Amino acid sequence: MSHDHDGGFAHPAPPKLLITVFIALVLLTILTLAMSSIDLGLMGAFGFWIAMSIASFKAALVLLFFMHMYWDKPFNVLVFLSSSLFVILFIGLTLMDSSHYKNSVDEYPRQPDPPALSP
Amino acid sequence: MAVVEPEHEAHDDHHDHGEFIAHHFESAEQQFDSGKLGIWLFLVTEVLFFSGLFVAYTLYRVLHPEIFDQAHVFLDKYLGFANTLVLLFSSLTMAVAVRYAQLGKNQHVVWYVLGTMVCASAFLGVKAIEYTHKWDQGIMVRSYFDYHAGHHEASMPLARALGVSDYLIWISIVPVLLLVGFALFAVFAKLTEKANAAFFSACMAIAIGGYFIGALAGHFYMELTDGGIGGRSEKAAALMAYEDETHSDHEHTDKPADHHDESAAEQQKETSEIAPYEGPQNDEFDQDIGIFFSIYYCMTGLHAIHIIAGIGFLAWILWRSILGHWRSDYFGPCDYVGLYWHLVDLIWIYLFPLLYLID
């Protein structure tokens, strides 16, 4: 058993680190909100992917430091990250099959699309 | 309240495993590692559980992006933003609580877990304002979607006196009962000299009080911003004006004006087979936006259920912190509940841009 260093198997995170991570998370949230409020013109369809990238970066910060993944056993990290593989499979395979009912959906009487709303 | 200080002395022959190390574990570390793997596996099932709803979201957004462009004007992104901050802050307090549990400082754990619970309740309070505001405007799930600007006149005398919606009174019953119940029990336990139970109940009453802080803040935000759609009310009104226009056209064409006209009658028969027109429930436009709100209510509702469950788990951690159970070789439950709580935060980190910040 590895009781060789003081404090045993606990890895208390330094408070300064936790507070820094929190501030980074808040700033990234403000950035996401600002991005949706101000039309940068450059974003277009990439806006969604940028928002998702920021969310994923925030998720990584939470996982690494709040959830102690940084100090955790590699096997636990592998177990948790394997879930993302199955989520990608789940969403990906469903999207591949998404137009199966397209014909019957197209036949369904629909009203004309409403006027486009500028964001 | 007993506060157990961390053991700094080396683990020698007497090797005090403590009262919480189950006999089938070789050491405290082995027990901790087993629990940790278990909680990570549980979190995997949670991720996959939520991913079903993310699939529904993705599929519907890919097939009907226009509905998402229209529907998000009904959501208030500033309330969503405030809730994100509250949840991130609760994650910080939880991470600090876990740190103190790892150091065996139980007294600190009590305060930080209490802070986490107050934030969790405040989140639900803001959510309650958001939900009831939507229900008031008829923004419901698909089959019941019937938007109308402005509010229903509250029918309950209490709701009218407070200037809030009937729905808010209904969903506040449980927190009110819990608050009163814990406060009364705290007094009762104090009188019967059960110090720990009295302290715990008082903490629980404070934690549930967070709901009312959140609800009050949300309520005043709504009052100040006059319904607080965050500058999007004109868009919602324009959208609905268009909807009313096409809605009345639709009604005209649907009416069998001439029964002798065979093709018209046939067309009428055809449409009535698919969607007999009997009011807002069968208005396709409303239904389409309603599907967004079906997804919205499922995702945020399931998330809110996780918050409520989290408050329950945190109450357990609070109780054990009051009893002074945590020490540097036994803090597993606090750590595991912390991991669960961070996962709930993690899911909200994705829900916020996906639901509130669609452009």
Side-chain angles (χ1 to χ4, degrees), chain B residues 36-107:
Chain B
K36 189 103 170 179
L37 178 60
I39 196 74
W40 278 118
L41 283 170
F42 171 68
L43 295 188
V44 167
T45 67
E46 285 283 290
V47 168
L48 294 174
F49 181 25
F50 270 97
S51 74
L53 288 170
F54 281 100
V55 167
Y57 176 94
T58 315
L59 199 58
Y60 213 76
R61 189 161 177 185
V62 165
L63 293 177
H64 299 286
E66 75 283 358
I67 289 164
F68 285 73
D69 282 345
Q70 294 153 18
H72 83 284
V73 299
F74 298 102
L75 290 174
D76 193 315
K77 59 180 173 182
Y78 298 115
L79 277 181
F81 174 67
N83 254 353
T84 310
L85 293 189
V86 168
L87 217 52
L88 287 176
F89 186 72
S90 79
S91 253
L92 173 68
T93 53
M94 191 65 223
V96 176
V98 170
R99 174 192 151 79
Y100 282 118
Q102 287 173 327
L103 297 173
K105 292 183 177 169
N106 287 268
Q107 188 66 64

Side-chain angles (χ1 to χ4, degrees), chain A residues 12-13 36 56 72 108 114 118, chain B residues 40 70 99 102 235 274 350 359:
Chain A
S36 82
S56 299
D72 214 332
Y108 190 83
S118 57
Chain B
W40 278 118
Q70 294 153 18
R99 174 192 151 79
Q102 287 173 327
K235 269 188 202 169
I274 299 162
Y350 281 100
D359 262 318

Side-chain angles (χ1 to χ4, degrees), chain B residues 2 78 114 146 229 302 335:
Chain B
Y78 298 115
L114 181 60
D146 183 16
I229 289 191
L302 186 65
D335 199 6

